[in-house]
Amino acid sequence: MNIQMMDLKRQYAEIKDEVQPKVLEILEGGWYVGGPEVKNFEEKAAEYVGVKHAIGCANGTDALQISMMAAGIKAGDEVITTPFTFIATAETIKILGAVPVFVDVDKDTYNIDPALIEAAITDKTKAIIPVHLYGQAADMDPIMQIAEKHNLVVIEDNAQGIGAKYKGKMLGSLGHMATVSFYPAKNLGAAGDGGLILTNDDEFAAQIRIIANHGQNERYKHQVVGVNSRLDAIQAGILSIKLKRLDGWNNKRRVVAEKYKDKLKDVALVPYEDKDNYHIYHQFSIQLENRDELQKFLFDNKIPNAIHYPIPLHLQVAFENLGLGKGSFPISEKIAENIISLPMHPDLSDEEINFITDKVKEFYK
Ligand SMILES: *Cc1c(COP(=O)(O)O)cnc(C)c1O
C-alpha cells in the first residue's frame, strides 16, 4: 500500500485534460500576471463564497498582511488571535509592528474561544483574527458581536476552510475581511503559491487592491507604501478549474472523516463537529496519549502523518518577547501535546482507512 498524506498527483490526473490546454492557452496568450484569467477567477471565487469582492494575491500570508494594512493596523496596535494556528496568522501581526494578543481555544473545536476575548481587549486593540482551524468554523456570531461592541475589525483566517460553512453561511463571508491560501496542500490548492482576500466592503476592497500593487491607484502614482503581491494567471486558470470541483472533493473528505471517526472513536478523541458547522476536514486530527510514540509507529508502518501544530505560538522562540510562558494557554498546550493528523484526501480508500485505523488500534492494544 502506498498511502499519501494528500494525493496531489492523483488530483492532477483527474483534472489533467482540462488543466493542460488551459495552461498552454495562458502561456501562448502572453498575459502572465493579473489579466483576464485572474479577473475571471476573482469573480468566480467571490460568487462561490457569496461576497462582493475577491482580490487575488501571492499567498495566504500576504493576504493576512494586506488585510491588516487595509484595516490600518500599525505599530503598537494589538490584534487578538489564537495561539493554536500556523505561524502566518501571528507572524504578519508582528511584521506590521503590532502585537499579537493570544486568547485560548475552545477544547472541542480548537478555535478561538469567544468567551475569553473580551478580557483580552484593551484600548490598543484594533482587530480580531479568528482562524477556522482544520476547516471548521470559529464561533463567528459572538465574535462579530464583540467586535461591533468594541469597534474592532474581524479578519477571518480562512486558509483552511474554503467551502466550509457556519450556520449555513460560507466561511469567508462572515468577517469584515477574510483571507484564503492556495498553497498546494490546502483543500483548494494551486500548482504553486496563491492567495485571496474576500470582503463585502467597497472601501476595504479598494484599499486592498492599492496596497497589493505597490500602493498605486494609477500607474506610478503611489498613494501609500504597499507591497508587491499578485496572483499569477496560470495559477488563476488552474484554480478556476479546481473551484468547480471543490464541493465534490470536500464532500468526499467528509465521507472519509466519518469512516475514520467510526473506527477510531473508542481509542482516540476524534474531531468534534459543531451542529452549526459544515466541516471540510482540511486535516483529520485526533488526540491521543503517547502521541510521539504513535507517530514513530505509524511512520515505521509507512503511514504518513503530521503534527498540526507541535508548539503553540506563545511558546515559539519568535514570540519570546511576549513573555508568555508555559501554562499561559493550557487548552492549546494540551492539544499541541496530543494532536496528530492522519492521511486525509478525497480519494482515501476503505482499504487504506482500515489499514491506518487498525494500526492505530494495534498501538494502543
Ligand atoms: C496555510 C496557512 C496560512 C498561510 O498561507 P500561505 O499561502 O502558505 O502563505 C495562513 N494561515 C493558516 C491557518 C494556514 O493554514
Side-chain angles (χ1 to χ4, degrees):
M1 222 172 310
N2 178 18
I3 302 174
Q4 303 291 313
M5 189 70 186
M6 62 216 144
D7 208 338
L8 295 181
K9 278 191 184 173
R10 190 146 157 186
Q11 191 191 54
Y12 177 62
E14 187 185 329
I15 58 177
K16 189 173 167 179
D17 289 347
E18 220 178 320
V19 166
Q20 286 193 346
K22 174 52 82 180
V23 170
L24 289 177
E25 177 198 316
I26 295 167
L27 285 175
E28 306 215 338
W31 199 333
Y32 301 144
V33 172
E37 278 302 331
V38 172
K39 187 163 184 288
N40 174 55
F41 174 67
E42 287 177 340
E43 284 168 8
K44 296 250 164 66
E47 192 189 332
Y48 175 76
V49 177
V51 294
K52 214 163 150 192
H53 307 278
I55 301 120
C57 65
N59 55 66
T61 307
D62 278 6
L64 286 162
Q65 181 178 333
I66 295 163
S67 310
M68 279 187 268
M69 289 169 81
I73 309 262
K74 52 182 189 332
D77 290 344
E78 292 177 0
V79 178
I80 291 174
T81 193
T82 154
F84 193 61
T85 177
F86 181 56
I87 185 84
T89 320
E91 180 182 55
T92 44
I93 299 170
K94 199 169 171 194
I95 279 178
L96 294 175
V99 181
V101 174
F102 296 120
V103 164
D104 211 352
V105 296
D106 176 85
K107 70 173 185 15
D108 297 320
T109 65
Y110 310 157
N111 287 321
I112 193 166
D113 184 347
L116 304 176
I117 292 178
E118 277 198 294
I121 295 174
T122 72
D123 55 6
K124 291 183 185 158
T125 310
K126 291 287 156 57
I128 307 172
I129 306 186
V131 178
H132 304 306
L133 199 75
Y134 305 153
Q136 167 155 244
D139 193 3
M140 290 302 291
D141 279 353
I143 294 171
M144 295 311 291
Q145 279 159 18
I146 294 163
E148 198 169 326
K149 182 169 155 202
H150 297 272
N151 200 20
L152 307 175
V153 174
V154 175
I155 302 166
E156 300 170 66
D157 181 343
N158 195 27
Q160 303 186 1
I162 184 160
K165 290 175 204 158
Y166 173 78
K167 299 185 178 174
K169 289 182 217 135
M170 283 290 208
L171 301 194
S173 69
L174 304 158
H176 301 105
M177 288 179 264
T179 64
V180 184
S181 163
F182 302 125
Y183 182 72
K186 301 288 157 88
N187 287 31
L188 179 60
D193 277 309
L196 193 72
I197 305 167
L198 303 161
T199 184
N200 278 311
D201 186 297
D202 296 344
E203 266 169 48
F204 280 146
Q207 276 306 306
I208 290 161
R209 286 207 185 273
I210 289 171
I211 291 164
N213 187 22
H214 297 290
Q216 61 190 348
N217 60 347
E218 276 176 65
R219 195 155 217 200
Y220 305 128
K221 291 195 174 163
H222 305 272
Q223 309 305 316
V224 289
V225 171
V227 297
N228 169 21
S229 187
R230 301 178 289 220
L231 186 60
D232 294 349
I234 288 177
Q235 300 307 342
I238 293 171
L239 287 166
S240 294
I241 291 167
K242 288 193 176 188
L243 182 61
K244 294 184 286 183
R245 291 176 168 81
L246 181 62
D247 285 344
W249 288 335
N250 283 342
N251 279 325
K252 285 171 87 177
R253 284 174 181 267
R254 289 175 58 80
V255 172
V256 170
E258 288 314 311
K259 289 178 183 165
Y260 259 142
K261 282 189 203 178
D262 193 47
K263 302 227 175 254
L264 290 172
K265 60 179 188 296
D266 296 331
V267 281
L269 185 59
V270 296
Y272 163 84
E273 183 170 341
D274 193 278
K275 64 174 178 6
D276 288 334
N277 289 342
Y278 182 85
H279 191 329
I280 57 160
Y281 295 95
H282 170 58
Q283 301 296 350
F284 184 87
S285 308
I286 57 176
Q287 286 195 67
L288 326 99
E289 303 289 315
N290 302 322
R291 187 267 323 270
D292 292 344
E293 292 89 82
L294 171 68
Q295 175 167 50
K296 194 174 168 298
F297 180 76
L298 293 178
F299 280 137
D300 287 346
N301 284 282
K302 296 196 168 50
I303 297 173
N305 64 83
I307 313 291
H308 305 100
Y309 298 91
I311 306 171
L313 299 188
H314 65 287
L315 300 177
Q316 296 285 355
V317 177
F319 291 114
E320 225 167 39
N321 70 315
L322 296 174
L324 297 163
K326 238 187 147 102
S328 305
F329 304 104
I331 300 174
S332 297
E333 290 169 26
K334 178 160 185 301
I335 301 168
E337 228 174 86
N338 296 333
I339 202 87
I340 185 165
S341 302
L342 299 179
M344 171 49 87
H345 59 80
D347 297 306
L348 207 64
S349 69
D350 286 353
E351 194 192 356
E352 289 171 320
I353 295 168
N354 290 339
F355 180 76
I356 296 162
T357 54
D358 284 349
K359 284 292 168 196
V360 173
K361 286 183 190 162
E362 187 185 317
F363 180 78
Y364 287 98
K365 265 234 175 80

